[in-house]
């Protein structure tokens, strides 16, 4: 995809309008992206969601499918050397208001979110060379809609110039509780709450302590603790950060301010 330089109706080049939402697993990023998209859509502001973890998940899934030893950094890096050399073709494609990741021409769907993939991601996400190779994929964004991106290093590394930067946190217990319901309801995986909590704790530790692009808030990010906040309240805080000109001129009064539903 290469829509980042799409001309605006006036003819000049427009830059993508990016909102970055970083934070640890289970802090509420996806819920907030969904609510923001709904709220903005109802007011005539088109959005595209981008869970950038899918890029890491896509590569990890491919390595697992091909039987590559993830501890072998050279073998993993070789996957990124181009399709003609036997590498993987990763593509970011827009589908119904979301950016999805295709691996060798097909979207693995929910398979990307299984614990098999999640447990192996750190081999890939820790490698600075791999991270650098995955940057262009994350930066080729459509210029029209507001991009609601979620990840770990978006405000600090991937989109340092984003107009709106948010960092969400929540207690480990609350995040484990949220993720546990998700495993059960969405992925149909049977896993105890204690185990979910331990996995999240390990992943946080890894994401925060790795040398390459560790999980941390950008200096200019708004930090919101979602432990006891309803998603509507989080959305309201984020909307307060939006530039006024992201809303259509005829937007109802209050646009850019609080969520009213
Ligand atoms: O957000 P999600 O749970 O899909 O992320 C999976 C993993 O991918 C994270 O735990 C992290 O290791 C890695 N990741 C990353 N940088 C991002 C997004 C995800 O390192 N921007």
């Amino acid at each position: 995809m290469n829509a980042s330089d799409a001309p605006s109706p006036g003819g000049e080049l427009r830059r993508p309008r990016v909102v970055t939402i970083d934070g640890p697993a289970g802090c509420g990023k996806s819920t907030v992206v969904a609510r923001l998209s709904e709220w903005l859509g109802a007011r005539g502001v088109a959005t595209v969601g981008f869970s950038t973890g899918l890029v890491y998940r896509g590569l990890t899934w491919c390595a697992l499918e091909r039987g590559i030893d993830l501890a072998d950094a050279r073998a993993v890096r070789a996957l990124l050397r181009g399709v003609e050399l036997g590498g993987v073709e990763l593509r970011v494609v827009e589908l119904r208001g979301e950016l999805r990741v295709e691996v060798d021409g097909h979207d693995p769907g929910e398979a990307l979110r299984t614990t098999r993939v999640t447990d192996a991601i750190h081999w890939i996400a820790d490698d600075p060379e791999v991270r650098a190779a995955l940057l262009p994929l994350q930066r080729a964004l459509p210029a029209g809609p507001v991009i609601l991106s979620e990840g770990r290093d978006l405000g600090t590394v991937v989109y340092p110039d984003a107009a709106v930067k948010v960092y969400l946190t929540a207690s480990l217990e609350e995040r484990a509780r949220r993720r546990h319901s998700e495993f059960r309801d969405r992925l149909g995986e049977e896993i105890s709450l204690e185990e979910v909590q331990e996995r999240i704790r390990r992943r946080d530790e890894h994401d925060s302590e790795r040398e390459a692009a560790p999980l941390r808030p950008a200096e200019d990010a708004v930090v919101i603790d979602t432990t006891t906040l309803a998603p509507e309240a989080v959305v309201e805080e984020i909307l307060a950060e939006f530039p006024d000109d992201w809303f259509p001129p005829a937007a109802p009064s209050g646009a850019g301010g609080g969520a009213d539903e």
Side-chain angles (χ1 to χ4, degrees), residues 52-53 56-57 113 121 125 131 151-153 203 207 210:
T52 57
Y56 293 89
R57 289 179 180 277
R113 298 230 167 253
I121 284 183
R131 296 194 74 87
R152 302 293 186 289
D153 60 342
R203 197 139 70 96
D207 286 342
R210 69 171 172 234

Side-chain angles (χ1 to χ4, degrees), residues 27-28 166-172 174-175 178 222-230 233-234 237:
C27 65
V166 180
Y167 186 91
L168 300 183
T169 62
S171 71
L172 176 61
E174 175 60 17
R175 291 188 289 119
R178 292 175 190 167
V222 182
V223 179
I224 306 173
D225 186 333
T226 72
T227 309
T228 58
L229 282 184
V234 180
E237 278 198 51

Side-chain angles (χ1 to χ4, degrees), residues 171-244:
S171 71
L172 176 61
E173 292 73 20
E174 175 60 17
R175 291 188 289 119
R177 200 186 56 71
R178 292 175 190 167
R179 269 291 146 97
H180 185 240
S181 327
E182 189 182 317
F183 274 122
R184 206 186 38 223
D185 303 342
R186 196 167 128 200
L187 300 171
E189 288 193 33
E190 276 309 323
I191 175 166
S192 73
L193 180 60
E194 292 68 30
E195 196 177 340
V196 173
Q197 183 161 324
E198 177 51 21
R199 277 167 190 264
I200 291 188
R201 195 196 57 72
R202 276 205 308 267
R203 197 139 70 96
D204 285 357
E205 199 172 87
H206 225 103
D207 286 342
S208 313
E209 290 177 8
R210 69 171 172 234
E211 270 174 42
L215 168 68
R216 64 177 170 78
E219 274 175 23
D220 48 350
V222 182
V223 179
I224 306 173
D225 186 333
T226 72
T227 309
T228 58
L229 282 184
E232 291 71 20
V234 180
V235 163
E236 193 170 333
E237 278 198 51
I238 296 174
L239 285 167
E241 300 298 315
F242 273 44
D244 288 342

